[in-house]
């Protein structure tokens, strides 16, 4: 049965970083709703224009367009054995839509909740740098590129996200507590929720994740 690993957790906790590590180790595709929106913004699509108006404020993009975007992405052939879903679902409506979509594909969900306290999230988001081409993620203290300002993988320029500004991060954390945290409880009640301490270094978080997923 295809397995879809859902990574839940607050902004900056390391979902994207760990998704990349997991994708390499277990060979599943990494799908990030935030990356898909940023790609649409870069390409100036209608979806990108709509998403930007929410992302800039640190609000969630409406469920209907987010669900349609993810449904389209996971119906592609490279997701037939499963995928790592990073940042989706983020609301109970999205979780319900995912459940229905995966029932069509005979897929199962494994939910992982990565946590860290707010000071860690602020330090991580304020030092985050992304590459323009493919969104590879770096940190100015914890994960430096070999050459300053340049992506190790594809050589493209690194930039800081507008929504990683302190005020916007504060709103994203508030939105996370209000709209996404209830999902954690939902997955805990269903059973099998994996909980990981995201305040450790990247390698230790990956080790914990891999061993929990094997169980
Ligand atoms: P998320 O996808 O949850 O928003 P990211 O994976 O983009 O988070 O990580 C946020 C920032 O923190 C990035 O700059 C990343 O390099 C850094 N980072 C991720 N995991 C760790 C960690 N375990 N220790 C230190 N820095 C980390
Ligand atoms: P991320 O890259 O996961 O930090 O997401 C960046 C921004 O994209 C979020 O602050 C939201 O505005 C938007 N976004 C990403 N994923 C979702 C989602 N599943 N539902 C609604 N909005 C989302």
């Amino acid at each position: 049965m295809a397995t879809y690993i859902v990574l839940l957790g607050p902004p900056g906790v390391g979902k994207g970083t760990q998704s990349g590590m997991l994708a390499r180790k277990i060979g599943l595709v990494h799908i990030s709703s935030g990356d898909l929106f940023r790609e649409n913004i870069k390409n100036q699509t209608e979806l990108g224009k709509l998403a930007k108006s929410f992302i800039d404020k640190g609000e969630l993009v409406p469920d209907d367009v987010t669900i349609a975007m993810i449904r389209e992405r996971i119906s592609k052939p490279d997701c037939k054995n499963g995928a790592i879903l990073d940042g989706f679902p983020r609301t109970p409506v999205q979780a319900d839509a995912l459940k229905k979509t995966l029932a069509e594909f005979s897929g199962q969900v494994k939910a992982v909740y990565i946590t860290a306290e707010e000071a860690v999230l602020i330090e991580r988001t304020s030092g985050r740098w992304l590459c323009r081409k493919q969104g590879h993620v770096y940190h100015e203290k914890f994960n430096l590129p070999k050459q300053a300002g340049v992506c190790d993988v594809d050589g493209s320029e690194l930039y800081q996200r507008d929504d990683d500004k302190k005020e916007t991060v504060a709103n994203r954390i508030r939105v996370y507590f209000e709209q996404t945290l209830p999902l954690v409880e939902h997955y805990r009640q269903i059973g099998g929720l994996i909980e990981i301490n995201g305040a450790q270094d990247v390698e230790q978080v990956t080790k914990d994740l891999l061993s929990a997923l094997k169980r």
Side-chain angles (χ1 to χ4, degrees):
M1 189 190 253
T3 300
Y4 296 81
I5 299 171
V6 164
L7 290 189
L8 301 161
V13 79
K15 300 180 298 297
T17 302
Q18 294 302 327
S19 297
M21 305 291 268
L22 279 184
R24 281 190 289 282
K25 302 252 181 203
I26 60 182
L28 287 179
V29 189
H30 170 199
I31 298 175
S32 153
S33 42
D35 282 351
L36 290 173
F37 285 132
R38 282 184 286 278
E39 193 61 30
N40 274 279
I41 293 171
K42 189 166 80 181
N43 296 332
Q44 298 182 0
T45 66
E46 284 308 312
L47 173 60
K49 283 179 206 154
L50 174 80
K52 188 172 170 13
S53 64
F54 293 92
I55 292 175
D56 283 351
K57 291 183 283 191
E59 302 289 335
L60 294 184
V61 179
D63 282 334
D64 54 349
V65 288
T66 304
I67 290 166
M69 175 181 80
I70 293 291
R71 266 188 71 91
E72 193 203 335
R73 180 64 190 90
I74 61 181
S75 61
K76 295 200 169 144
D78 61 348
C79 296
K80 73 173 192 309
N81 295 324
I84 299 161
L85 300 180
D86 159 15
F88 182 92
R90 255 173 159 102
T91 66
V93 173
Q94 292 179 16
D96 197 44
L98 178 66
K99 190 172 152 202
K100 290 187 179 126
T101 303
L102 296 191
E104 291 165 30
F105 303 163
S106 334
Q108 60 163 350
V109 164
K110 269 196 188 171
V112 176
Y113 175 35
I114 311 181
T115 50
E117 61 181 47
E118 193 159 335
V120 171
L121 309 177
I122 290 167
E123 187 174 32
R124 291 199 186 158
T125 46
S126 61
R128 169 160 54 191
W129 290 78
L130 292 186
C131 90
R132 291 239 181 252
K133 229 185 217 164
Q134 297 173 79
H136 294 114
V137 61
Y138 297 88
H139 192 281
E140 61 195 30
K141 266 201 219 157
F142 307 125
N143 179 21
L144 288 153
K146 291 194 183 83
Q147 190 188 335
V150 180
C151 177
D152 294 348
V153 184
D154 59 34
S156 69
E157 180 200 17
L158 303 185
Y159 73 99
Q160 285 196 287
R161 282 168 50 175
D162 281 344
D163 64 339
D164 276 344
K165 284 197 297 263
K166 277 218 167 57
E167 319 80 80
T168 318
V169 168
N171 196 39
R172 285 163 59 204
I173 293 174
R174 190 186 57 74
V175 165
Y176 166 79
F177 278 111
E178 277 178 20
Q179 301 190 45
T180 308
L181 203 56
L183 271 190
V184 173
E185 209 37 59
H186 163 78
Y187 284 114
R188 192 178 277 130
Q189 272 170 18
I190 296 175
L193 178 71
I194 295 170
E195 301 197 41
I196 303 286
N197 172 11
Q200 311 171 95
D201 64 37
V202 172
E203 290 71 26
Q204 189 58 49
V205 177
T206 308
K207 269 189 203 153
D208 288 1
L209 256 170
L210 287 170
S211 64
L213 286 169
K214 265 188 216 136
R215 264 180 244 135

